[in-house]
């Protein structure tokens, strides 16, 4: 069990614990002191250290941890996260772009000419061949 009192922490409080010697994570609204677990983590300590200072819930869930892994977390529980301290996620809206019609670009015209010239030469050659055979 961690020696820290069970309390409510802000994301700033948790971010202050972001080294190999003092590593806290936020997962599912709870704060965990995983310092002693860094060396034992199957994915390596780098994975955990990359998740400090933010809400790591999505990172944790995306991996698909086992029930056993979730049970191990209880011994590292420190307290709860103050939800108001976690920045709200927003949906990215790209800036409005002017309408772009690729059929009117110079590159499209060049490709069209590159296709039409050989086709015209082929049609002309076939016409001459048919005309001279008659």
């Amino acid at each position: 069990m961690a020696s820290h009192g069970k309390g409510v922490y802000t994301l700033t409080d948790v971010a202050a614990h972001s080294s190999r010697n003092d590593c806290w994570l936020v997962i599912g609204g709870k704060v965990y002191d995983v310092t002693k677990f860094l060396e034992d983590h199957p994915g390596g300590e780098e994975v955990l250290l990359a998740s400090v200072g933010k809400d790591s819930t999505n990172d944790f869930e995306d991996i698909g941890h086992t029930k056993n892994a979730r049970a191990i977390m209880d011994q590292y529980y420190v307290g709860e996260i103050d939800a108001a301290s976690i920045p709200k996620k927003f949906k990215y809206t790209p800036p409005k772009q002017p309408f772009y019609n690729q059929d009117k670009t110079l590159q499209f015209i060049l490709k069209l000419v590159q296709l039409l010239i050989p086709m015209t030469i082929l049609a002309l050659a076939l016409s001459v061949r048919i005309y001279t055979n008659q």
Side-chain angles (χ1 to χ4, degrees):
M1 213 30 112
S3 61
H4 309 286
K6 309 262 186 287
V8 178
Y9 300 94
T10 65
L11 192 58
T12 305
D13 296 335
V14 175
H17 303 273
S18 59
S19 69
R20 283 185 169 81
N21 299 324
D22 187 19
C23 183
W24 288 15
L25 294 178
V26 176
I27 300 172
K30 297 180 179 179
V31 180
Y32 299 93
D33 180 352
V34 295
T35 308
K36 294 179 182 175
F37 185 65
L38 287 176
E39 291 181 13
D40 298 329
H41 187 258
E45 66 182 29
E46 294 81 17
V47 175
L48 296 177
L49 290 170
S51 296
V52 298
K54 64 178 185 172
D55 184 353
S56 304
T57 305
N58 289 338
D59 296 342
F60 181 82
E61 295 298 336
D62 287 346
I63 299 301
H65 286 88
T66 63
K67 288 181 183 179
N68 187 36
R70 293 172 190 275
I72 291 172
M73 291 173 58
D74 291 339
Q75 63 185 312
Y76 301 106
Y77 175 75
V78 182
E80 300 290 319
I81 189 72
D82 179 8
S85 70
I86 298 177
K88 302 291 181 216
K89 294 180 182 166
F90 62 93
K91 183 178 179 183
Y92 173 73
T93 305
K96 296 210 181 241
Q97 299 277 333
F99 178 71
Y100 174 71
N101 185 354
Q102 70 180 29
D103 293 343
K104 292 185 178 180
T105 65
L106 182 60
Q107 291 174 343
F108 176 76
I109 294 170
L110 289 175
K111 287 181 182 180
L112 188 61
V113 169
Q114 288 175 344
L115 175 69
L116 289 178
I117 288 177
M119 297 290 273
T120 305
I121 293 172
L122 181 62
L124 185 61
L126 286 174
S127 304
V128 169
R129 171 104 177 167
I130 291 172
Y131 182 73
T132 56
N133 283 341
Q134 292 179 353

